[in-house]
Amino acid sequence: MSKPVRIIVAALLLCMMNLPVHGQFNYERLHHYAEFDTLDADKLFFRIDNHNFFKNYEYFGDYTEGYTMLGHDLAPSFLYYAGNRVRLQVGAHLKKYSGEQDFSEIKPIISLHSRLTPHLDMIIGTLRGTVHHSILEPILDPEKLYASPLENGLQFIYNSRQWHADTWINWEQFIRHGDNKPEKFTFGLSSTYHLLRDSAHWQISIPVQLLAAHTGGQISNFDEPMQSLANVAIGFEFSRKPVASRIDEIKWTVSGLGYKDLTKKSGLPFTTGKAFYTTLQMTTRQLQLMVGYYGATNYVAPRGSALFQSVSDYNPIIYSKHRNLATGKMLFTHQLYRDIRLGVMAEGYYDLDAGQLEYAYGVNLMLMPSWFLLKKAIN
């Protein structure tokens, strides 16, 4: 295990030096992580996270197929603060799709969140994951919010006025000696360094993102060869917060992305690729709008949206060296009550080469109540 991790980290850092991002649409409005609060020392809470969703993907092009998701996520849990620096969360995550008789997923939630310093947090177990990583869509598909919202592993989060960094490893498949299945994990880093902040309401930042997906394992009898595929993104982000306006923020990003097959065993006719993604985004208290342009050459991302890639996720003979897309997104959220939020979204992707429009739309209703039960210190 340790050797693949070292290979992935070293190769990703080399990729960064050779590349010529962060226009991430804020899907966090559709999911809420119970943030750590030092004022809740010695307190026990009961919390319910309920996400009800409908999303319809009208995809008719060559790179992925359309489908419809209608279902519910329910995650009841207990949260206990042992002092003001450690929190234990224990519960369960249940998923059910409409039209199925049984739950499609029942998984435990076990998370130990530690405030190591005023700026550094560590999480072991169930992570602050998916859309909270703020990774570009061509690298990490936001659909994971619906399909696989739980991540489990180890995470470090650093926050200061100048720098934010989120690094994690999501252990997706554990193996034992002699298993005929592979070990699977994803390593990620999402970091933003602020060059300029609060200067006449302007902000200039440098986002850096890394994501590597590994399949293998030395103790497994899995027949396929070890595979490690990596993506990297680096860019500039310019934002302005208008004064005395209903607009909270206007943001322009320009990002360079890279792909590398670290083990050269993907079976594809290329082992490296690159992409360019620029977006313009406007945000208000309830509304987000974003338009963008994406161009790529031999780009692949094992955890990214299939619409941005050079190969199809369902037809192995489809391959386009160059991809050019125009993108547009809209997300409207409304707080119906203190712990109840409604979200309505629409997304469009126009393939400039094929003249093909792919689009999706959806509705989300989230309930996130929390109840204080008692306060008791550990003796």
Side-chain angles (χ1 to χ4, degrees), residues 12-125:
L12 287 173
L13 293 175
L14 288 172
C15 288
M16 285 175 58
M17 293 191 296
N18 291 312
L19 270 172
V21 258
H22 192 80
Q24 173 60 31
F25 205 60
N26 185 13
Y27 288 100
E28 290 188 52
R29 296 188 178 194
L30 300 180
H31 188 269
H32 181 70
Y33 177 82
E35 301 295 350
F36 194 96
D37 192 342
T38 56
L39 298 178
D40 288 332
D42 304 321
K43 293 181 180 179
L44 175 67
F45 296 88
F46 178 68
R47 177 181 173 86
I48 293 178
D49 287 287
N50 173 225
H51 183 198
N52 308 278
F53 56 86
F54 164 78
K55 193 164 185 183
N56 184 40
Y57 298 88
E58 295 290 339
Y59 295 165
F60 301 99
D62 293 332
Y63 297 93
T64 190
E65 296 179 295
Y67 60 99
T68 302
M69 289 191 300
L70 179 61
H72 320 271
D73 284 317
L74 179 64
S77 64
F78 291 94
L79 297 90
Y80 176 70
Y81 285 81
N84 63 356
R85 297 182 62 181
V86 176
R87 184 185 72 187
L88 175 66
Q89 182 178 10
V90 177
H93 176 262
L94 299 87
K95 179 186 293 292
K96 185 181 184 303
Y97 291 106
S98 297
E100 291 189 345
Q101 297 299 317
D102 300 320
F103 287 101
S104 61
E105 180 178 283
I106 301 177
K107 292 183 177 180
I109 295 174
I110 304 174
S111 179
L112 191 66
H113 188 146
S114 302
R115 178 65 49 87
L116 301 180
T117 75
H119 299 292
L120 180 64
D121 286 22
M122 179 181 72
I123 303 173
I124 300 177

Side-chain angles (χ1 to χ4, degrees), residues 275-318:
F276 170 82
Y277 195 23
T278 182
T279 63
L280 180 64
Q281 184 171 322
M282 183 199 74
T283 304
T284 70
R285 186 172 61 88
Q286 292 183 303
L287 181 68
Q288 287 186 86
L289 296 173
M290 188 177 83
V291 293
Y293 166 75
Y294 172 84
T297 301
N298 287 340
Y299 182 79
V300 172
R303 301 293 184 262
S305 169
L307 292 174
F308 293 85
Q309 306 198 35
S310 294
V311 295
S312 172
D313 70 353
Y314 72 96
N315 189 337
I317 68 172
I318 292 177

Side-chain angles (χ1 to χ4, degrees), residues 11 26 58 61 97 121 131 159 184 201-202 224 268 270 318:
N26 185 13
E58 295 290 339
Y97 291 106
D121 286 22
V131 295
N159 265 309
K184 293 182 180 181
H201 302 279
W202 284 94
E224 299 292 329
L268 297 172
F270 54 90
I318 292 177

